[in-house]
Amino acid sequence: MLELSMLTILLFLLVLTGVTALVVRDILAAIILFSAFSFFAVLLYLVLGAPDVAFTEAVIGVVSTVFFVAALKKLGRRYVS
Amino acid sequence: MNKPFGSIVLDISFRYLVPFILMYGIYVLIHGEYSPGGGFQAGALLAIGIILARLIQGEESSFNISGDTAVILAGLGTLIFAGVGVISLIWSGNVLEYGVFPLNVHKESELHPLGILGIEIGVTICVAAVIIAIYDALTRRDDAI
């Protein structure tokens, strides 16, 4: 029962952060929301009992966030036109 | 290396975080047989350590790897992977068959983790170098990419 409720909460947060990252106008906010989406995916994998996949997802979430911020700095604008 | 750089937060976080992240990457590589981890995660962790040093200190970082060197290192990692796979053909084994290595071990099954470790070292070097090369291409100053 505890595991089911944790799964429900995590899936709800996953959908919430994912949809918000799609519709938000600020690109930096979208990047940070995508990082939060990645972190909730890590927690979901841990609850489902796959620590190897969770470890990979955590590392790749950090690397992709750094990449997105670097690309945003090169892009020169902050908002979706 | 003894002179401070930036604010005290950057100074302390560089001197404590970067050695820890690099050593953790090595641990994940070596101990990947028995715990979660492996070549890909270890390479990404090493690349995170080097990218963090470069984010704090800039281009003249203590251990910076430039983009051209990173591409060469990626080819070297692929060469290690392919070399460990192909070298067992010399002792008339199949590709990636580690049991035929002429090393002095007690049991033949001990050769299998050694071969896996060789493969993982190649994967680690390749993944770390490719991540650094992508970061270098994203933050290059001139417009010609």
Side-chain angles (χ1 to χ4, degrees), chain B residues 13-35:
Chain B
S13 63
F14 177 79
R15 285 180 192 199
Y16 281 83
L17 268 182
V18 172
F20 180 77
I21 290 175
L22 291 176
M23 188 54 79
Y24 186 57
I26 300 291
Y27 166 74
V28 167
L29 169 65
I30 301 295
H31 207 256
E33 286 280 319
Y34 314 104
S35 65

Side-chain angles (χ1 to χ4, degrees), chain A residues 50-64 66-75, chain B residues 24 28 36-38 40-41 44-45 48 51 55 130-132 134-135 137-143 145:
Chain A
D52 205 357
V53 187
F55 189 23
T56 310
E57 176 71 34
V59 170
I60 291 307
V62 173
V63 172
S64 66
V66 171
F67 280 176
F68 286 149
V69 173
L72 177 64
K73 189 158 178 285
K74 202 176 178 67
L75 191 63
Chain B
Y24 186 57
V28 167
F40 186 82
Q41 290 95 328
L45 277 170
I48 284 172
I51 284 177
L55 280 175
V130 165
I131 288 177
I132 292 168
I134 292 174
Y135 178 76
L138 280 175
T139 59
R140 198 171 291 165
R141 285 184 191 273
D142 53 357
D143 291 330
I145 298 176

Side-chain angles (χ1 to χ4, degrees), chain B residues 55-70:
Chain B
L55 280 175
I56 292 175
Q57 286 190 324
E59 292 278 341
E60 56 276 358
S61 164
S62 319
F63 37 92
N64 186 19
I65 296 178
S66 69
D68 300 332
T69 317

Side-chain angles (χ1 to χ4, degrees), chain B residues 20 22 36 40 58 80 89 94 121 126:
Chain B
F20 180 77
L22 291 176
F40 186 82
I80 290 175
L89 292 178
N94 293 322
I121 287 172
C126 185

